[in-house]
Amino acid sequence: MQLTINNRRITTEKGKTLLEACREADIFVPTLCYDERLESYGGCRLCLVEIQGVARPLAACTTPAEEGMTVLTESETLTRLRKTTLSLILSNHPNDCMCCDNAGDCALQELAYLYDVKPGRYEGERWDLPIREDNPFITFEPNKCISCSRCTRICNDVVMAGTIEMTGRGFYTMPDTAFNKPRSLKNCEFCGQCVSTCPTGALTDKKGRHKGRSHDVTKVKTTCSYCGTGCNFYLHVKDKKVIKVSSDYEAPVNQGNLCIKGRYGYDFIHSPERLKTPLIKKDGVFHEATWDEALEFVATKFRELIAKHGPEKVGGFSSSRCTNEENYLLSKWVRCAVGSNNVDNCARV
Ligand code: FES
């Protein structure tokens, strides 16, 4: 299917939206309520585009691309509309980018900068609600919420936890738990998916707050070590310390989605109880050893066991927390070095 966007001939598949067609062609369209993990919602109206023969601009995220369409993603009219929408959002926003944890990683801040929109164009009532810190993992600053509903949609449609929903009406619309109860393990999985999709600093990871912003950290891509799924994510490292985990939307395995362990279970990295050297137990007491000493000790014990009982009495049981390569090596070692076919893995069943 072919259409024309910004005077360029674009080819896309039937069933794609205009926003998807633009993204495939590297054409920027501003969005706030869109997350490719979610069904399009059409709430923020930032992605409006002009379509030849259509009287009013339409939201690109909810409009299907059609054969022969002629579309403009930038025009004076669209810029004016986007500026007005952003001005309205900023009219009820703290605009405290100087001390906001999400500064530098905030879609609203980026778009206000891009369209040169400053606070103050519209005056009126503003939210002045307390910060919610009523759970161990997620901080909610309602004053920064722009009611895009990405958090409630990801909670309901992707996680299927149903922890939060849009509550209230009109000016008082707000994502919240049923009966405004604090989040706890009874009503929330603490997967942080809501935090991952929030386009502003309304939902943030409590553990990483005020420890460093996006420009302060080095992002290191890694694979979760908690189970065999192999989810990818980014560790945010500052001063050699991991201060936060964020989603990797390109990861084929998890596409930006994570569970509580992947997103918040990183304290073990810097735990003082973590073993840093091998230990050998002598007379019931562990003693620190070098790797050479430890490997020689283990090899000697295995040789003794095999000589005494035969190789078939030895087996290797590997873990899905290890990489494929490590599991392969264990299998190779048991089969070739030990001479046994007793190899298994906890993920086999
Ligand atoms: Fe299309 Fe928000 S991204 S309306």
Side-chain angles (χ1 to χ4, degrees):
M1 181 170 66
Q2 291 210 313
L3 60 161
T4 305
I5 305 178
N6 297 351
N7 300 318
R8 269 176 61 193
R9 292 289 282 167
I10 304 293
T11 304
T12 191
E13 287 162 33
K14 199 168 162 32
K16 297 269 175 171
T17 63
L18 282 177
L19 181 63
E20 287 166 336
C22 287
R23 290 195 166 186
E24 281 170 4
D26 281 333
I27 296 171
F28 172 75
V29 177
T31 62
L32 279 175
C33 70
Y34 180 79
D35 180 326
E36 58 191 23
R37 295 173 290 176
L38 302 169
E39 287 284 312
S40 291
Y41 172 66
C44 73
R45 315 313 283 174
L46 259 293
C47 70
L48 292 180
V49 292
E50 293 195 84
I51 303 167
Q52 200 174 66
V54 177
R56 285 174 306 180
L58 296 180
C61 68
T62 51
T63 305
E66 284 175 20
E67 177 71 41
M69 265 182 168
T70 301
V71 179
L72 273 185
T73 66
E74 298 291 341
S75 69
E76 270 184 39
T77 305
L78 293 173
T79 300
R80 185 169 46 78
L81 290 170
R82 288 172 187 158
K83 277 174 173 266
T84 302
T85 303
L86 288 166
S87 298
L88 284 164
I89 294 173
L90 295 191
S91 73
N92 183 25
H93 195 81
N95 305 320
D96 62 347
C97 304
M98 295 76 72
C99 53
C100 178
D101 253 276
N102 261 38
D105 193 19
C106 169
L108 179 59
Q109 186 190 41
E110 271 167 40
L111 292 179
Y113 176 78
L114 185 66
Y115 288 97
D116 193 20
V117 175
K118 298 179 182 64
R121 179 168 161 195
Y122 298 109
E123 296 299 337
E125 196 179 348
R126 303 172 75 92
W127 285 345
D128 186 16
L129 299 163
I131 296 177
R132 298 261 304 255
E133 300 262 25
D134 52 15
N135 71 80
F137 296 109
I138 297 166
T139 298
F140 179 38
E141 292 192 59
N143 298 336
K144 292 181 182 170
C145 176
I146 59 168
S147 296
C148 66
S149 84
R150 281 166 61 163
C151 55
T152 59
R153 286 183 284 138
I154 205 160
C155 184
N156 288 295
D157 301 347
V158 177
V159 186
M160 300 198 169
T163 303
I164 47 174
E165 189 48 273
M166 296 309 285
T167 64
R169 290 289 180 272
F171 185 71
Y172 303 99
T173 305
M174 178 81 58
D176 208 342
T177 55
F179 309 109
N180 313 103
K181 293 267 190 233
R183 290 188 199 227
S184 71
L185 283 172
K186 287 188 199 138
N187 64 1
C188 179
E189 295 191 6
F190 291 117
C191 56
Q193 290 278 87
C194 51
V195 176
S196 78
T197 194
C198 181
T200 70
L203 286 158
T204 47
D205 295 325
K206 187 179 279 188
K207 287 166 71 174
R209 272 172 77 82
H210 302 299
K211 294 207 173 128
R213 299 196 281 194
S214 64
H215 59 269
D216 300 317
V217 299
T218 307
K219 284 168 92 177
V220 181
K221 186 170 170 162
T222 189
T223 304
C224 185
S225 58
Y226 274 108
C227 77
T229 307
C231 295
N232 293 180
F233 52 68
Y234 288 99
L235 297 172
H236 292 221
V237 182
K238 186 181 173 221
D239 300 331
K240 298 188 179 165
K241 287 233 150 154
V242 174
I243 59 164
K244 188 172 138 174
V245 161
S246 71
S247 296
D248 174 9
Y249 298 100
E250 309 296 322
V253 179
N254 55 316
Q255 292 145 10
N257 300 311
L258 286 173
C259 72
I260 181 173
K261 290 186 281 184
R263 198 179 301 279
Y264 296 123
Y266 54 83
D267 289 342
F268 73 91
I269 297 171
H270 304 296
S271 168
E273 290 173 12
R274 200 167 167 183
L275 293 182
K276 297 203 173 90
T277 57
L279 301 174
I280 296 177
K281 198 185 242 183
K282 281 184 195 146
D283 301 326
V285 181
F286 282 114
H287 296 276
E288 288 193 359
T290 64
W291 278 106
D292 282 347
E293 287 167 345
L295 291 172
E296 184 52 44
F297 181 76
V298 172
T300 305
K301 289 288 176 195
F302 268 115
R303 276 190 220 107
E304 285 171 14
L305 281 171
I306 293 165
K308 192 167 172 194
H309 302 288
E312 71 280 2
K313 298 293 181 192
V314 178
F317 194 75
S318 60
S319 166
S320 300
R321 287 185 173 197
C322 303
T323 61
N324 284 341
E325 291 80 2
E326 288 161 341
N327 282 313
Y328 172 78
L329 283 175
L330 181 97
S331 148
K332 201 77 179 160
W333 175 74
V334 175
R335 291 183 208 281
C336 298
V338 176
S340 162
N341 282 325
N342 297 329
V343 182
D344 214 334
N345 181 290
C346 64
R348 188 173 61 83
V349 287

